[in-house]
Amino acid sequence: MNAVLLRITAITFFILLILSTLADAQTFQDKRYSSPNGPTDVFAADLNHDGRPDIVATQFSAGMVTVFLNHGDGTFTDGGSATYLTAAFPVSVVIADFNGDGHPDIATASCPPEGTQAFASILFGNGDGTFKNHVDYPIPQCTFSLGFMRVGTDKLPSLLIADGTHIQLLRNNGAGVFTLHTIVYPGSDLFLSATGGDYNRDGFQDIAFVEQNRPLQLNRLLIMNGKADGTFAAPRVVFSNSAISSTSLYMDVINTLDVNGDGIGDLVTSFNQNGNHGGVQVFVNTGTGNFNRSLLSLTTEQFERGKIADGDFRGIGLRDIVASAEHFINNTEQDSIVIFPATSKTTWGAPNEIVLGNVQSPRAVVAGNFNTDAKVDFAFATGSPDSLHVFLNTTCGLPATAGIAICSPKTGSTVSSPVKISATANGVSRKITAIKAYIDGKQVASSSTNTLNASVPEPVGSHKLTVNAWDSSGKLYQATSTFTVH
């Protein structure tokens, strides 16, 4: 685990990412906050019932979690709003209502040094974003993955842990007290990751997991269907590949998502192919627990890692997939966030990349609407430096008809310098070939696509922005906005 103990002050800067998508370009504003002591995992949920998702991050080397309460506008306190003790070496975190009081609770699971007792910790929430002291449950060994699911006819969620050797179920007694059960699956020896969901729609949640079966020399994705009595059927193979082939796909992380918005759990896994490149596999549920597989590959020497998330980042009714990646150029690590834009409800295009520069080890991407603009944002933690990154979605949508939409600066707004200009143009049946922006009659920015993003220094006072766009026939479109720089 990377536990570099660095602390940074809150830094806000813009990363403008131009993406070739079906509808428009995507831009995000990266707000970075200190998240000390080795953040290895994050989870987003509304902890204080204010309607905005908050974020919890692990502090691996300090035996704590950091709670970042949302200020309501997508901003957070640097270093977190509060920290809470857990068992030592928390490596994973999830949030759910484990005691049925209507308030979100925090659960962590640990990965201590070999020979040291591992624990799962529960911190019950008070409903106002604060939490009670942790309650610990011994677990056999280091946690590979942590999730939650409802077992059989239970009303409250239990904890689901893959620990390498076994799948462990900390079953909830209905009041937030847990009992450890080991799910025995003869024939496998290395459980890498597990997740829960009702994949066959029989009303009982199932367990999907990735295993490395060394006796069979196979890397496989399997599902054990849940039963009403809380037991599970023998596993069935969803996908299998050789673990030693020169073209093998080595899967490790698995998540349950709803990638096509049909209300049925789909599966996503990360993969590494023969040590050369990696990516994401998407298993779209046909509705009966059978799956259609899509392979979303990254470029050479690029490997996906950590939790995978999805969201309609473009506001077009399709769910893009976002993941973190390790990217090596000339043996130098340059990590990134990659977004696979949806081209339909069950297909995705080539990845678009946000290179993080000197920021390394991105982990555990989560999605949510963190501010008030109705656009889906995402967040993740990094281990070098120890930070929480919140990427607020500043994408400017296309106008519904032919013309120009100016998203920033809005007419009548008061802004600071440099002025962020964001505009898109729609030629409907004709391609937009150029956009130019003018402030007080002087050209300040241009683009050869249907999207323009720029940051321009302007003096204090009132100004007029004019945006012109031309389509392939030479037709001119124009829009204006007046604003004040304070």
Side-chain angles (χ1 to χ4, degrees):
M1 298 296 169
N2 189 332
V4 180
L5 303 181
L6 297 176
R7 180 173 180 83
I8 60 173
T9 56
I11 301 171
T12 300
F13 60 94
F14 287 91
I15 294 178
L16 298 180
L17 174 66
I18 307 301
L19 304 181
S20 298
T21 65
L22 290 178
D24 48 26
Q26 293 174 265
T27 61
F28 296 91
Q29 178 188 13
D30 178 8
K31 292 178 177 284
R32 189 189 304 179
Y33 306 91
S34 171
S35 182
N37 302 318
T40 53
D41 197 15
V42 294
F43 203 95
D46 182 4
L47 302 177
N48 54 1
H49 303 293
D50 66 353
R52 295 292 166 205
D54 310 296
I55 298 173
V56 175
T58 56
Q59 287 193 37
F60 177 78
S61 60
M64 298 180 179
V65 289
T66 304
V67 173
F68 292 86
L69 293 179
N70 196 328
H71 296 157
D73 57 358
T75 64
F76 300 82
T77 299
D78 187 43
S81 307
T83 58
Y84 297 89
L85 289 171
T86 66
F89 306 107
V91 68
S92 301
V93 61
V94 294
I95 299 171
D97 180 9
F98 293 110
N99 60 355
D101 65 356
H103 304 316
D105 310 310
I106 297 172
T108 66
S110 68
C111 185
E114 188 173 355
T116 305
Q117 178 65 58
F119 291 94
S121 298
I122 309 294
L123 294 82
F124 292 113
N126 297 313
D128 58 358
T130 64
F131 294 84
K132 297 178 173 64
N133 292 337
H134 62 108
V135 179
D136 297 334
Y137 294 88
I139 53 178
Q141 60 193 48
C142 171
T143 298
F144 282 31
S145 74
L146 172 67
F148 59 87
M149 62 178 294
R150 291 190 313 278
V151 179
T153 58
D154 293 353
K155 302 300 183 184
L156 295 180
S158 299
L159 290 174
L160 178 66
I161 296 173
D163 67 7
T165 306
H166 296 97
I167 292 178
Q168 307 290 349
L169 192 66
L170 278 169
R171 188 166 181 181
N172 198 327
N173 74 344
V177 177
F178 297 83
T179 303
L180 183 68
H181 299 268
T182 299
I183 298 177
V184 178
Y185 163 40
S188 182
D189 66 340
L190 189 58
F191 293 86
L192 302 175
S193 185
T195 184
D198 183 7
Y199 307 114
N200 61 357
R201 304 180 69 190
D202 65 354
F204 308 115
Q205 293 203 328
D206 317 307
I207 297 175
F209 63 96
V210 170
E211 69 161 3
Q212 183 71 5
N213 194 311
R214 289 177 289 188
L216 298 179
Q217 296 183 332
L218 294 174
N219 176 235
R220 305 192 293 183
L221 166 59
L222 303 99
I223 289 179
M224 293 184 286
N225 289 331
K227 301 179 182 179
D229 62 0
T231 63
F232 295 87
R236 63 181 179 88
V237 178
V238 175
F239 177 72
S240 177
N241 55 268
S242 170
I244 60 173
S245 167
S246 61
T247 59
S248 63
L249 302 178
Y250 182 84
M251 300 176 289
D252 47 17
V253 174
I254 186 169
N255 288 75
T256 299
L257 300 174
D258 181 9
V259 297
N260 57 355
D262 64 358
I264 306 170
D266 308 303
L267 296 168
V268 292
T269 73
S270 63
F271 74 86
N272 173 14
Q273 184 166 14
N274 196 32
N276 291 324
H277 70 279
V280 174
Q281 289 186 110
V282 184
F283 296 85
V284 180
N285 198 330
T286 61
T288 59
N290 296 311
F291 298 85
N292 294 322
R293 183 175 73 104
S294 295
L295 190 68
L296 312 182
S297 292
L298 300 172
T299 56
T300 301
E301 291 190 285
Q302 197 170 38
F303 311 99
E304 194 284 324
R305 61 181 295 168
K307 286 179 181 174
I308 303 163
D310 67 340
D312 183 7
F313 298 113
R314 294 167 291 165
I316 60 172
L318 300 176
R319 302 181 71 85
D320 308 322
I321 293 174
V322 57
S324 58
E326 292 180 343
H327 189 190
F328 294 90
I329 300 176
N330 297 325
N331 295 320
T332 300
E333 185 173 356
Q334 295 186 10
D335 293 341
S336 62
I337 298 295
V338 290
I339 299 176
F340 295 92
T343 53
S344 74
K345 287 194 173 184
T346 57
T347 58
W348 292 265
N352 301 288
E353 184 179 7
I354 303 174
V355 177
L356 300 176
N358 63 348
V359 174
Q360 295 184 358
S361 302
R363 301 183 178 104
V365 181
V366 292
N369 179 18
F370 294 111
N371 54 13
T372 59
D373 64 2
K375 297 177 183 177
V376 180
D377 315 301
F378 65 88
F380 59 95
T382 58
S384 179
D386 290 354
S387 305
L388 171 69
H389 297 254
V390 180
F391 271 59
L392 296 179
N393 193 338
T394 57
T395 299
C396 186
L398 286 176
T401 57
I404 295 172
I406 298 177
C407 293
S408 176
K410 293 288 189 181
T411 291
S413 64
T414 298
V415 299
S416 57
S417 181
V419 177
K420 182 181 181 296
I421 301 173
S422 179
T424 60
N426 188 357
V428 187
S429 61
R430 294 187 176 92
K431 181 181 179 180
I432 297 296
T433 58
I435 304 180
K436 295 182 179 180
Y438 308 81
I439 292 181
D440 301 332
K442 178 182 177 181
Q443 182 178 324
V444 294
S446 64
S447 170
S448 59
T449 71
N450 68 338
T451 301
L452 185 146
N453 288 284
S455 186
V456 181
E458 290 294 331
V460 172
S462 299
H463 301 277
K464 181 179 180 180
L465 169 68
T466 301
V467 178
N468 291 343
W470 293 264
D471 66 22
S472 56
S473 70
K475 182 176 180 179
L476 170 67
Y477 305 92
Q478 187 175 85
T480 62
S481 173
T482 57
F483 63 96
T484 301
V485 174
H486 61 73

